[in-house]
Amino acid sequence: MIVMKFGGSSVANAERIRRVAEIIRAYENERPVVVLSAMGDTTDFLLDAADCALGGKIEISEIENLHRKTAQELGIDFACVENLLAELKQLLTGISMIRELTKRTRDYLVSFGERMSVRIMAAFLKTLGIGAAFFDAWDIGITSDSNFTKAELLDEVWQAIPQALKSYSEGSCDEIPIVTGFIAKDKKGEITTLGRGGSDLSATIIGAALGVKEIQTWKDVDGILTADPRICAAARTVPEVTYEEAQELAMFGAQVLHPRSMKPCLKSGVPVRVKNSYNIKSEGSIIVKDHSSERAEVCAITSVKHVTLIDIVSAGMLGAAGFLAHIFNQFLKWEVSVDLIATSEVSVSLTVNTKSDLSGLVEDLSRVAQVGLRSGKSIVSIICDSSKASGILSRGLSALSEAGINAQMISQGASKVNVSIVVDDEQCDTAVRTLHAEFFEK
């Protein structure tokens, strides 16, 4: 068995759905379980509809037209999603009456995208003579806590999923399960969403719980690349990375799986393969627990733009126990997430997302230290064997220096697979190309 996950762009319209159906057909003998996201921009359309409802207007024409047109082009009966659209209208009517959108209601609202997507795909596969059955996530035992908009899965899913799909996994049922990603239900039966990387997490927990041969996530590139091909034309496929390396790649800009979706794989050891939906024959990249052969010094170069560098300086830090705890308690208080950290006896430098409102945090920190903000920065990360960090940094910094790029902060991750450098936003792409040329093109 395998699990195949397709994101929203892969099922954005009838043409894309036909393509996905052909991929599923090609892997039919592998007994796949298919996980789908909502079609294209459906989630955004649903949130727009909620805004209209809050203003007293019920408007779902974009959602209905997209799905109706897709059904017509695929030659399937639109009735497969009509009841969901009627339910959606009822929900929006309720929102318009009370003029309120709670987190619980928001999760219920956005769930319609995935639920319609799997129904359309299952119906189309049947027209091709491929046995298929749609499942909402809770139908196969995917349950979560009640932390709406960013729910966490309960431990019981490890037993519930194999039990729910037992007939398929044992071969007594041949209908391919087409399952919603991103959504779940809590113990009270309320619909929840799994937050960032939710569809990836749906796929990896299903694959890990079933102990499948591999989990496949299908994209529009040949796997994990050594750099963003939009920045670096010489980028090439990385055949193999570890779970730890994949987490670091995702944390620092690469479009791989979301880091939290790696957790079920770390527990089960099931590999994940990143495949290209436009190049089925490509092996793509595989994510495994340990390298199967000698580890490359450098795996990839990634980047995250538009971060803010915060410098915190205080003589009170010198030999003072608990001072750092006080500093980071302020970040907890203001719910500001930190990406990189570098410390000395009397200073701390760190990076945060520029989108965060830092005014309250800076005010609190300024009571005990001098605080400086430098916005317009980028993190350029070298995903590597950092046991060789001295040589890697020496080569990298030398190459950057020759290109006229100044490293404003350096941080080595505790994971031992990441060395990150902070540069100005306008130098970010040049830094990526420079480092890629140094480590991959010489």
Side-chain angles (χ1 to χ4, degrees):
M1 288 180 66
I2 61 173
V3 169
M4 308 174 76
K5 180 258 176 178
F6 297 92
S9 61
S10 294
V11 291
N13 52 41
E15 180 185 355
R16 296 286 182 90
I17 289 173
R18 288 193 186 95
R19 180 65 180 165
V20 169
E22 288 306 312
I23 295 172
I24 293 170
R25 186 200 291 276
Y27 284 86
E28 192 174 0
N29 291 336
E30 299 273 3
R31 299 191 66 76
V33 177
V34 179
V35 177
L36 298 184
S37 296
M39 288 181 61
D41 295 324
T42 300
T43 301
D44 289 336
F45 293 158
L46 286 163
L47 292 172
D48 289 343
D51 288 338
C52 287
L54 288 169
K57 183 181 178 182
I58 309 302
E59 176 57 68
I60 65 166
S61 58
E62 285 183 309
I63 301 163
E64 183 170 358
N65 291 342
L66 172 62
H67 291 82
R68 186 181 294 278
K69 180 183 178 184
T70 300
Q72 289 173 345
E73 292 180 1
L74 294 174
I76 61 175
D77 190 349
F78 186 62
C80 67
V81 295
E82 271 187 319
N83 63 326
L84 286 178
L85 287 173
E87 184 182 341
L88 172 60
K89 286 180 181 177
Q90 288 181 338
L91 174 60
L92 291 170
T93 300
I95 293 171
S96 70
M97 292 176 67
I98 62 174
R99 301 294 173 95
E100 183 182 12
L101 182 66
T102 64
K103 288 184 177 181
R104 180 178 66 85
T105 305
R106 184 187 184 280
D107 279 1
Y108 179 18
L109 174 77
V110 299
S111 75
F112 285 92
E114 276 73 14
R115 292 159 71 193
M116 289 189 287
S117 177
V118 298
R119 284 157 174 78
I120 286 175
M121 179 61 77
F124 180 59
L125 288 172
K126 289 177 183 177
T127 68
L128 302 179
I130 302 172
F134 68 82
F135 292 90
D136 294 325
W138 45 86
D139 295 331
I140 65 163
I142 296 183
T143 53
S144 73
D145 60 23
S146 301
N147 190 12
F148 297 104
T149 74
K150 48 184 177 181
E152 295 291 343
L153 296 175
L154 301 180
D155 287 342
E156 63 192 53
V157 301
W158 287 91
Q159 291 76 43
I161 292 170
Q163 185 60 38
L165 294 176
K166 186 176 181 180
S167 60
Y168 181 70
S169 61
E170 291 182 348
S172 58
C173 170
D174 291 327
E175 289 187 323
I176 297 171
I178 313 296
V179 185
T180 56
F182 184 58
I183 61 177
K185 273 188 178 179
D186 66 10
K187 299 294 283 185
K188 297 178 182 178
E190 301 285 358
I191 295 175
T192 63
T193 61
L194 303 179
R196 293 184 62 193
S199 289
D200 288 339
L201 180 57
S202 300
T204 55
I205 190 60
I206 291 170
L210 291 173
V212 300
K213 183 175 75 174
E214 68 179 27
I215 300 158
Q216 298 176 351
T217 179
W218 290 79
K219 299 182 178 293
D220 57 1
V221 292
D222 282 336
I224 298 168
L225 302 181
T226 51
D228 186 334
R230 295 168 298 182
I231 297 174
C232 185
R236 58 177 185 258
T237 303
V238 182
E240 180 183 83
V241 300
T242 63
Y243 298 134
E244 191 175 30
E245 288 167 338
Q247 284 181 312
E248 293 292 309
L249 281 162
M251 284 293 293
F252 292 100
Q255 297 298 309
V256 196
L257 276 73
H258 192 276
R260 67 196 289 253
S261 69
M262 289 283 97
K263 291 179 181 178
C265 302
L266 285 164
K267 182 175 179 177
S268 67
V270 173
V272 179
R273 190 177 296 275
V274 183
K275 297 272 287 179
N276 187 349
S277 58
Y278 295 98
N279 185 12
I280 298 180
K281 293 182 180 179
S282 170
E283 288 295 312
S285 304
I286 192 162
I287 306 171
V288 293
K289 184 178 181 181
D290 298 301
H291 283 287
S292 60
S293 58
E294 185 177 353
R295 180 181 182 182
E297 268 194 358
V298 176
C299 168
I301 311 296
T302 66
S303 62
V304 178
K305 292 183 178 179
H306 312 310
V307 302
T308 296
L309 181 59
I310 304 179
D311 296 311
I312 305 167
V313 182
S314 174
M317 292 177 63
L318 189 62
F323 191 89
L324 279 178
H326 175 76
I327 293 292
F328 286 104
N329 275 335
Q330 306 313 309
F331 284 85
L332 175 63
K333 172 185 173 181
W334 292 101
E335 297 183 341
V336 175
S337 178
V338 175
D339 296 319
L340 298 180
I341 305 172
T343 65
S344 73
E345 277 292 324
V346 294
S347 68
V348 180
S349 293
L350 41 81
T351 62
V352 299
N353 191 312
T354 298
K355 294 178 182 178
S356 303
D357 180 4
L358 303 177
S359 55
L361 171 66
V362 170
E363 183 179 346
D364 281 354
L365 291 174
S366 297
R367 295 191 178 100
V368 294
Q370 293 178 321
V371 181
L373 299 184
R374 288 183 277 166
S375 58
K377 306 300 176 183
S378 295
I379 300 170
V380 179
S381 296
I382 307 170
I383 309 302
C384 61
D385 178 359
S386 64
S387 66
K388 302 174 182 177
S390 295
I392 292 168
L393 262 177
S394 176
R395 287 177 61 189
L397 291 175
S398 177
L400 291 176
S401 178
E402 289 178 14
I405 298 171
N406 181 46
Q408 299 172 40
M409 173 179 162
I410 300 170
S411 176
Q412 180 176 334
S415 63
K416 306 304 180 189
V417 298
N418 168 31
V419 175
S420 292
I421 300 164
V422 175
V423 301
D424 288 330
D425 272 342
E426 56 267 26
Q427 295 182 315
C428 177
D429 290 356
T430 303
V432 170
R433 287 190 287 266
T434 299
L435 292 172
H436 193 275
E438 175 66 29
F439 292 110
F440 294 103
E441 299 170 42
K442 284 191 173 181

